[in-house]
């Protein structure tokens, strides 16, 4: 069958033969998944259910002297910047906040000390926290306030308040802290009377001194409520449900550029992300270079334990990505020498991760940490990424050393190799040459591309001629849009448009046709807090109250939920600008048709197997009169409208008219043949 992107006006219906009887090539069972990275406040301020900003008074951020454009121009040294009291404000008589403590990992860390007279108040506005009250509270949804507290100079009474921006009280409660140097967990239940943005306030009615740490404000309807496995970090329910609705089969985490870090010091340390929350030490987030004053911290309340639990809850294969001993090659030249203690630690950290996830708590110390969190059984672990967007001989040497150690320690894992930042060029070719020479069916090459919608349509047949039987493809990051981070907002190209969603759908027909060589795909980025949008195109928008999947997410969901187990070939000439793919299971046939043109297109399908009853179609189409390039990933949105249709079948044939700018998923029951 010919897929054409040229423009033409059809004169009659195109006849397509669906060869369901000859479907032998398998569809990868992991074809559609998620890529999760902490960007756009997707973790703290998003998936993290704790509404308190800088909850532990650790306050580590990117040095505000580090300028965005200098970073993107490369090779700029970066440093941590400690602002322990950031996002906390004091008011009232003689109110003062001091941050005390130590950086020692084995210690309690830093904590806040509030002192003052009667009415001394400590305020936290939540996330993003830079524009007044941001704590999203909902009438009828109770919040549980907890903190570690002590009264070193005598017992303290504390009044907990949620105060709206208009100055009116939304909820209140009290707790008492006993005198002494011992830390006590205090608890207060808050019942909001309004749905509003508020600030959290801690008030000392009698004055005095109050020490605080690990301050948490958690909605009672968080994901996993009542499940003892969720003993540490907690997730916001509606965001998890939005991810579940995409029917993902795997999740790649924690990045992305975060894996590599701006510097090696900033590379993601999975070991710092497991264990009791009070023992987790944050790091600055490299995406802070696009936030005012570097204001982006990784609190690590969401860490590897929580990522693996989420995969378990949603039935996804976890795909942790570990450092290859290279800082982000786009931003830095830092390299860990392969013959030395530092690289030995990189390798050992990877092996320890495998033990933490799969080991026996009775014999392995890292597995015992997993069990202590509430998960004595091993996690599933079949996939492992080594490096992110790393490339060239310097990467491939380190990749091979880490892979060899992994294969010796835990044989059988599928290993993901990076191919750089572009879908072509020297670095890309080097990774693929290495994979085809030194790899096997357990090697998957990670391709990344952020390109224009026209590029995606032009590349529909990209994987038709990829070799079979060896290394497979992982489209680990992709979207039909060119990144414009360094460009002022007023000059940026529109993102998350109907045009981009339709172009991605067209491209996915080519992916589905080649789902025996394309093993996995994941759109990027995944989540976007509308008040801290750092990347322009994202799959799911949210704020404190709402979750809004984009039209691109609707396309992802449609393809993921209408997919068979074997690839079905199609014969015939499609109308220009129309693309198609098909798959089947034993009793179901699925056909995807994408019309990228602005005119209706007539198509007739003939199936070579008996069909059981009528068919059905789910159609995503641009609303009449909507410009296909209209922005929809921000407060002004345009959507692909969803419609459900019955399809009449006559002698194994179905005729239909494809709407302009539309994606159609057709489903038919296959009659059993004795």
């Amino acid at each position: 069958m010919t897929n054409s992107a040229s423009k033409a006006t059809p004169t009659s219906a195109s006849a397509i033969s669906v060869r369901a009887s000859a479907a032998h090539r398998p569809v990868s069972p992991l074809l559609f998944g998620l890529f999760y990275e902490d960007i756009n406040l997707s973790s703290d301020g998003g998936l993290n259910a704790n509404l308190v900003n800088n909850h532990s008074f650790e306050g580590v951020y990117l040095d505000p002297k580090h300028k965005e454009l200098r970073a993107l121009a490369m090779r700029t040294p970066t440093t941590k910047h400690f602002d322990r009291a950031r996002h906390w404000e004091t008011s009232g008589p003689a109110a003062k906040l001091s941050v005390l403590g130590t950086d020692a990992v084995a210690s309690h860390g830093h904590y806040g000390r509030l002192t003052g007279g009667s009415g001394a108040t400590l305020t936290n506005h939540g996330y993003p926290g830079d524009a007044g009250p941001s704590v999203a509270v909902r009438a009828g949804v109770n919040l549980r306030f907890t903190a570690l507290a002590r009264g070193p100079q005598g017992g303290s009474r504390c009044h907990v308040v949620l105060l709206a921006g208009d100055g009116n009280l939304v909820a209140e409660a009290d707790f008492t802290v006993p005198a002494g140097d011992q830390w006590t967990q205090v608890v207060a239940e808050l019942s909001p009377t309004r749905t509003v943005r508020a600030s959290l306030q801690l008030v000392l009615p009698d004055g005095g001194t109050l020490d605080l740490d690990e301050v948490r404000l958690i909605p009672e309807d968080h994901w996993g409520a009542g499940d003892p496995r969720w003993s540490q970090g907690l997730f916001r329910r509606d965001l998890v449900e939005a991810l579940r609705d995409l029917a993902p089969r795997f999740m790649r985490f924690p990045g992305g550029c975060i894996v590599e870090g701006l510097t090696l010091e900033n590379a993601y340390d999975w070991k710092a992300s497991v264990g009791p929350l009070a023992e987790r030490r944050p790091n600055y987030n490299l995406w802070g270079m696009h936030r005012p004053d570097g204001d982006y911290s990784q609190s690590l309340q969401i860490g590897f334990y929580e990522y693996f639990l989420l995969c378990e809850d949603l039935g996804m294969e976890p795909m942790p990505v570990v450092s290859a001993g290279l800082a982000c090659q786009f931003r830095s030249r830092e390299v860990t020498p392969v013959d030395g203690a530092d690289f030995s630690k990189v390798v050992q950290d990877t092996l320890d991760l495998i033990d933490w996830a799969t080991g026996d708590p009775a014999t392995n110390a890292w597995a015992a940490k997993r069990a202590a969190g509430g998960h004595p059984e091993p996690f599933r672990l079949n996939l492992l990424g080594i490096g992110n967007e790393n490339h060239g001989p310097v990467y491939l040497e380190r990749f091979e050393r880490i892979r060899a150690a992994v294969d010796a320690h835990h044989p059988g894992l599928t290993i993901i190799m990076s191919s750089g930042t572009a879908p072509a060029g020297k670095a890309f070719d080097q990774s693929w040459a290495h994979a085809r020479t030194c790899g096997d069916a357990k090697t998957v090459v990670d391709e990344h591309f952020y390109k224009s919608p026209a590029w995606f349509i032009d590349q529909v047949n990209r994987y038709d001629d990829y070799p079979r039987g060896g290394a497979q493809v992982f489209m680990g990051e992709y979207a039909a849009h060119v990144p414009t981070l360094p460009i002022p907002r007023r000059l940026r190209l529109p993102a998350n448009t109907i045009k981009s969603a339709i172009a991605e759908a067209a491209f996915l027909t080519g992916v589905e046709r080649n789902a025996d060589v394309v093993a996995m795909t994941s759109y990027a980025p995944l989540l976007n807090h509308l008040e801290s949008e750092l990347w322009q195109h994202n799959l799911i928008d949210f704020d404190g109250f709402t979750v809004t999947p984009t039209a691109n997410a609707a396309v992802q969901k449609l393809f993921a939920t209408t997919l068979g187990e074997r690839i079905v070939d199609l014969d015939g000439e499609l109308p220009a600008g129309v693309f198609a793919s098909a798959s089947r299971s034993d009793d179901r046939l699925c056909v995807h048709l994408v019309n990228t043109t602005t005119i209706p297109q007539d198509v007739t399908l003939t199936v070579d197997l008996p069909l059981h009853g009528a068919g059905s179609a789910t159609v995503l189409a641009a609303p009449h009169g909507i410009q296909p390039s209209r922005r929809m990933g921000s407060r002004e949105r345009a959507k692909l409208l969803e419609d459900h249709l019955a399809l009449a079948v006559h002698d194994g044939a179905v005729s239909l008219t494809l709407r302009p700018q539309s994606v159609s998923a057709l489903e038919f029951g296959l009659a059993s043949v004795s």
Side-chain angles (χ1 to χ4, degrees):
M1 184 191 66
T2 300
N3 278 310
S4 173
S6 62
K7 296 183 180 295
T9 302
T11 57
S12 61
S14 296
I16 305 301
S17 296
V18 182
R19 295 196 284 121
S21 63
H24 303 300
R25 291 184 294 146
V27 170
S28 169
L30 302 179
L31 191 58
F32 294 104
L34 305 176
F35 163 54
Y36 185 85
E37 181 171 21
D38 186 2
I39 187 175
N40 307 313
L41 293 192
S42 59
S43 290
D44 297 332
L47 200 56
N48 180 10
N50 187 9
L51 302 177
V52 180
N53 199 342
N54 189 16
H55 77 296
S56 62
F57 300 94
E58 296 299 333
V60 54
Y61 304 94
L62 179 63
D63 190 326
K65 295 189 294 294
H66 181 86
K67 299 300 183 181
E68 173 179 325
L69 292 179
R70 288 178 63 203
L72 292 174
M74 304 240 215
R75 325 309 180 200
T76 306
T78 58
T79 58
K80 288 182 179 180
H81 173 67
F82 294 103
D83 188 354
R84 308 290 189 188
R86 185 177 288 192
H87 298 296
W88 293 95
E89 301 174 359
T90 57
S91 59
K96 179 183 177 182
L97 173 65
S98 303
V99 179
L100 310 172
T102 175
D103 287 320
V105 174
S107 76
H108 184 76
H110 292 88
Y111 60 92
R113 172 167 290 176
L114 174 64
T115 59
S118 175
T121 299
L122 185 62
T123 299
N124 190 289
H125 295 306
Y127 294 95
D130 49 10
S134 302
V135 179
V137 299
R138 294 164 287 153
V141 179
N142 288 349
L143 297 115
R144 191 169 191 257
F145 171 88
T146 62
L148 296 177
R150 65 182 182 181
Q153 298 178 10
S156 299
R157 212 166 41 100
C158 188
H159 190 50
V160 186
V161 174
L162 289 174
L163 197 68
D166 59 11
N168 290 321
L169 188 70
V170 179
E172 59 182 336
D174 293 282
F175 64 84
T176 301
V177 180
D181 292 331
Q182 296 299 312
W183 290 95
T184 301
Q185 178 163 287
V186 295
V187 179
E189 299 292 335
L190 294 163
S191 301
T193 57
R194 300 164 57 194
T195 297
V196 68
R197 296 176 187 271
S199 297
L200 172 69
Q201 292 193 337
L202 305 175
V203 185
L204 298 179
D206 308 317
T209 300
L210 174 66
D211 287 350
L212 288 165
D213 200 1
E214 297 299 318
V215 184
R216 306 181 81 197
L217 186 67
I218 308 289
E220 66 177 359
D221 63 349
H222 64 82
W223 181 264
D227 186 337
R229 297 173 308 142
W230 288 93
S231 62
Q232 299 171 12
L234 299 173
F235 283 2
R236 177 175 156 176
R237 174 173 290 277
D238 57 355
L239 282 175
V240 174
E241 290 172 344
L243 302 184
R244 180 194 61 194
D245 290 347
L246 294 173
R249 302 304 303 272
F250 70 89
M251 185 172 79
R252 173 182 178 236
F253 59 86
C257 296
I258 283 174
V259 170
E260 306 153 293
L262 277 177
T263 67
L264 288 172
E265 178 201 35
N266 185 231
Y268 194 93
D269 180 4
W270 74 265
K271 290 180 175 178
S273 79
V274 298
L277 294 183
E279 297 177 6
R280 300 184 187 183
R281 292 292 178 265
N283 203 339
Y284 70 85
N285 189 314
L286 65 81
W287 295 112
M289 62 183 163
H290 307 296
R291 288 270 300 161
D293 295 327
D295 184 12
Y296 205 152
S297 181
Q298 299 176 76
S299 74
L300 299 184
Q301 292 172 85
I302 293 177
F304 266 44
Y305 181 73
E306 290 74 28
Y307 288 132
F308 273 83
L309 277 183
L310 180 63
C311 289
E312 189 169 87
D313 281 6
L314 300 191
M316 302 183 291
E317 290 281 351
M319 185 196 294
V321 183
V322 298
S323 170
L326 301 170
C328 177
Q329 289 171 272
F330 180 68
R331 300 176 172 93
S332 171
R333 286 197 176 98
E334 279 195 273
V335 176
T336 304
V338 292
D339 297 316
D342 288 343
F343 190 74
S344 295
K345 181 179 184 303
V346 170
V347 175
Q348 189 60 50
D349 284 349
T350 301
L351 304 184
D352 289 342
L353 167 61
I354 296 170
D355 289 341
W356 173 84
T358 67
D360 182 352
T363 60
N364 184 273
W366 284 107
K369 288 181 178 291
R370 182 196 72 234
H375 204 286
E377 304 82 8
F379 284 117
R380 289 176 62 88
L381 181 60
N382 297 305
L383 308 170
L384 179 69
I386 299 176
N388 168 72
E389 294 187 343
N390 296 130
H391 55 84
V394 67
Y395 164 67
L396 295 173
E397 180 184 10
R398 286 155 181 78
F399 171 86
E400 278 302 327
R401 293 199 180 205
I402 297 171
R403 179 167 69 170
V406 169
D407 286 345
H409 184 74
H410 192 87
L413 294 183
T414 295
I415 306 298
I416 291 85
M417 173 194 296
S418 170
S419 65
T421 61
K426 182 178 178 180
F428 179 86
D429 292 341
Q430 285 175 332
S431 286
W432 266 112
H434 186 85
R436 288 173 176 143
T437 302
C438 305
D440 53 23
K442 285 289 185 179
T443 302
V444 179
V445 178
D446 187 4
E447 298 187 357
H448 292 186
F449 35 88
Y450 300 99
K451 295 289 187 178
S452 70
W455 184 93
F456 272 78
I457 293 174
D458 184 62
Q459 292 284 311
V460 166
N461 299 320
R462 175 180 178 87
Y463 298 114
D464 289 357
D465 297 325
Y466 268 50
R468 265 63 180 174
Q472 293 180 296
V473 177
F474 172 33
M475 289 165 42
E477 296 182 31
Y478 76 94
H481 179 62
V482 180
T484 54
L485 273 171
I487 300 174
R489 287 186 181 273
R490 69 182 184 278
L491 300 177
R492 291 176 181 173
L493 298 173
N496 287 108
T497 60
I498 288 174
K499 183 176 182 180
S500 72
I502 298 297
E504 289 159 6
F507 187 82
L508 288 178
T509 64
V511 168
E512 185 178 350
R513 287 199 324 275
N514 293 284
D516 55 337
V517 70
V518 180
M520 295 169 283
T521 68
S522 52
Y523 188 98
L526 180 60
L527 296 175
N528 172 47
H529 195 306
L530 285 169
E531 295 173 45
S532 185
E533 181 182 81
L534 305 178
W535 201 266
Q536 287 73 61
H537 55 82
N538 306 279
L539 203 59
I540 298 172
D541 290 332
F542 69 92
D543 60 20
F545 300 103
T546 62
V547 176
T548 308
T550 64
N552 307 73
V555 166
Q556 295 287 319
K557 178 181 177 181
L558 188 65
F559 271 81
T561 56
T562 54
L563 186 67
E565 298 168 354
R566 300 186 296 281
I567 300 166
V568 172
D569 290 330
L570 305 176
D571 291 329
E573 184 85 13
L574 287 168
V578 174
F579 303 88
S581 58
S583 62
R584 62 162 292 190
S585 301
D586 289 343
D587 59 355
R588 186 176 72 143
L589 171 67
C590 303
V591 180
H592 293 129
L593 293 164
V594 180
N595 181 9
T596 66
T597 75
T598 56
I599 60 175
Q601 301 281 6
D602 295 328
V603 176
T604 296
L605 302 176
T606 302
V607 184
D608 68 351
L609 284 179
L611 300 180
H612 179 71
S616 63
T618 301
V619 180
L620 302 175
H624 180 70
I626 290 292
Q627 294 296 320
S629 61
R630 179 177 171 184
R631 175 80 161 97
M632 67 184 177
S634 188
R635 288 162 179 79
E636 182 183 9
R637 297 183 182 88
K639 290 185 177 181
L640 288 170
L641 300 182
E642 182 172 323
D643 199 3
H644 298 272
L645 309 173
L647 298 175
V649 179
H650 301 289
D651 297 325
V654 177
S655 296
L656 68 158
T657 299
L658 304 180
R659 299 176 190 177
Q661 294 281 303
S662 68
V663 185
S664 300
L666 283 53
E667 296 183 86
F668 305 93
L670 293 175
S672 59
V673 179
S674 59

